[in-house]
Amino acid sequence: MRKRDLNRDSSNPPTGIIDAVRGAVVDVVFDAADLPQINSALIVEWDRPTPLVLEVQSHLDLQTLRAVAFQSTAGLARGVTVRATGGPVSVPVGTEVLGRLLDVVGNPQDNGPALPEKTPRRSIHALPPLLKNQTGTTDVFETGIKVIDLLTPMAQGGKAAMFGGAGVGKTVLVMELIGAMVEKYEGISVFAGIGERSREGHELLTEMQGSGVLDRTVLVYGQMNEPPGARWRAALTALTIAEYFRDQRHQNVLLLMDNVFRFVQAGAEVSSLLGRLPSRVGYQPTLATEVAALQERIASVAGSEVTAIQAVYVPADDFTDPAVTTISSHMDCVIVLSRAQAAEGFYPAIDPLASSSMLLDPLVVGDAHYRTAEAVRQALARFRELADIISLLGVEELGTADRLTVKRARRLQRFLTQPFMVTEAFTGTPGASVKLADTLAGCRAILDGEADDWSESSLYMVGTLDDARKKEADAQAADSPTEGAAT
């Protein structure tokens, strides 16, 4: 074997040739002395107008490596020349990417002008900040969504995830959070669309252009129709951009990801294509490592915070799925969306008993907030315990105390629903953003019996309790002439 030439001219990068192509996985043969390192980038010098970027994943022997493609390999043939870049995949960062929609390697996809040549670039692979440099936070990130602010308060500089199956409203909830937060958020927003539909990306871009917040936002997409390598690394691209604003410009960053399960799913596809033996339920054996490598980089340091809000698809509504449990272990706030809630028309369909937050502590949110949240949770829990009895025997068979609890729990359920701004075009109901103080006052009033004589429908899909009071008064006024005429 020839010794590696340590004095080789770095301006003359090593080249190899394509040996095999299996979908998104490509084998490349190099000279033994020039085998590129793991996670380094390769450029395929083919005759297509768009460049093909590969990332090294394993060394098969002293001359052959196996890499994952970030773009489609359709038309790629054996014998095509491949050039090593000498470093990992790097993406553009900085103020030049604000207001732009980028793909996994940082190419603009919004039909806008090319990025300036002097745009700084950073590797998508980085270590998390040292533990001694990281800062914890107990500042509550008020969202304006009643059930979240009351029962699962989010931390500013923390990580929150929304778990739910198909069709229960994860993307709608993320879109509402974007609309509610970005307008009043002073920092930079970075959105990662991982394995999502092209339509959703187009809608988000159009909405942000219309709301005037696009100039402080970066959109990164690895879409559903792209190869698994693009979906697998899109999250790292978005995180790299967020880290630049945190570390170099010392700005707060709001990082939104939809959907983190697609990141895991793409990793499982790549792992299978690389020939690794699957682990539990067919997932990649490196599942915990890959999720940790992503989540541990989402951290706040002195002077700048990264607040992450992530949507997580739950396959077949199985919350014991390895991907779901692995992701949830890294979260400060876990918001569980329930299909049963959605089926009953309670939107946002957040399960108040399964959801949790580390910030729901009297030392953080205060005694009044904590006591109100616990009282609401207890009432809803007792209502759920009695649900089977009520369905079999009716509410009349319950004791007086339980009947009162059920009455107030049903009103709390309806009060915790809320019309969203992003759904206004479909429902015709104007969206509402509710301050935490109004949410606490409304729940406290319902628990104290102020709404016991109200119609349940008066509390459904309203903002504050004053809105519900007005709705009840209007309903009674509408009924009064009818009653008089009947008499």
Side-chain angles (χ1 to χ4, degrees), residues 388-416:
D388 290 341
I389 297 174
I390 294 170
S391 62
L392 290 172
L393 303 175
V395 73
E396 295 80 10
E397 297 300 317
L398 300 177
T400 304
D402 281 341
R403 280 205 303 273
L404 190 60
T405 299
V406 168
K407 176 187 286 188
R408 292 175 181 173
R410 287 176 63 87
R411 282 158 175 75
L412 283 170
Q413 268 189 331
R414 283 150 181 79
F415 180 65
L416 291 178

Side-chain angles (χ1 to χ4, degrees), residues 98-328:
L98 291 175
R100 304 304 301 270
L101 189 150
L102 309 175
D103 65 9
V104 65
V105 292
N107 296 323
Q109 300 294 315
D110 52 7
N111 295 326
L115 295 172
E117 291 185 6
K118 294 183 179 180
T119 303
R121 303 182 75 91
R122 287 182 68 162
S123 163
I124 65 171
H125 298 285
L127 294 174
L130 295 175
L131 194 58
K132 65 180 182 180
N133 296 334
Q134 295 184 24
T135 57
T137 180
T138 56
D139 294 334
V140 175
F141 201 85
E142 195 170 319
T143 65
I145 298 174
K146 290 182 288 189
V147 64
I148 292 178
D149 290 341
L150 174 69
L151 299 175
T152 59
M154 292 184 181
Q156 187 164 330
K159 286 178 279 195
M162 282 155 284
F163 295 87
V168 295
K170 295 184 302 301
T171 299
V172 170
L173 191 53
V174 169
M175 295 279 283
E176 182 70 11
L177 284 168
I178 291 172
M181 292 181 177
V182 170
E183 291 183 7
K184 62 182 179 181
Y185 194 72
E186 297 300 325
I188 300 299
S189 301
V190 181
F191 180 86
I194 309 167
E196 292 301 289
R197 302 166 186 84
S198 304
R199 169 186 58 79
E200 292 172 347
H202 184 266
E203 287 176 357
L204 180 61
L205 180 62
T206 304
E207 183 176 322
M208 287 195 164
Q209 286 173 335
S211 61
V213 298
L214 188 61
D215 60 344
R216 290 187 288 111
T217 306
V218 185
L219 306 177
V220 179
Y221 272 88
Q223 295 174 160
M224 190 178 284
N225 61 337
E226 294 189 62
R231 290 179 270 123
W232 191 37
R233 294 309 194 200
L236 298 187
T237 300
L239 185 52
T240 300
I241 295 170
E243 287 173 332
Y244 176 85
F245 286 105
R246 179 195 68 191
D247 298 336
Q248 304 300 319
R249 303 187 65 85
H250 306 291
Q251 291 178 279
N252 292 339
V253 182
L254 179 62
L255 178 64
L256 302 129
M257 293 189 185
D258 187 12
N259 187 301
V260 181
F261 176 79
R262 305 296 179 198
F263 162 78
V264 173
Q265 194 175 44
E269 291 179 47
V270 169
S271 179
S272 177
L273 290 167
L274 292 173
R276 297 175 186 151
L277 289 173
S279 182
R280 284 194 304 157
V281 202
Y283 285 110
Q284 61 269 45
T286 53
L287 171 63
T289 306
E290 290 177 11
V291 172
L294 173 68
Q295 299 293 346
E296 292 304 309
R297 285 174 61 183
I298 304 173
S300 300
V301 298
S304 48
E305 298 171 334
V306 176
T307 303
I309 298 171
Q310 307 171 32
V312 184
Y313 168 69
V314 179
D317 290 343
D318 179 13
F319 286 89
T320 64
D321 186 86
V324 175
T325 56
T326 303
I327 295 168
S328 64

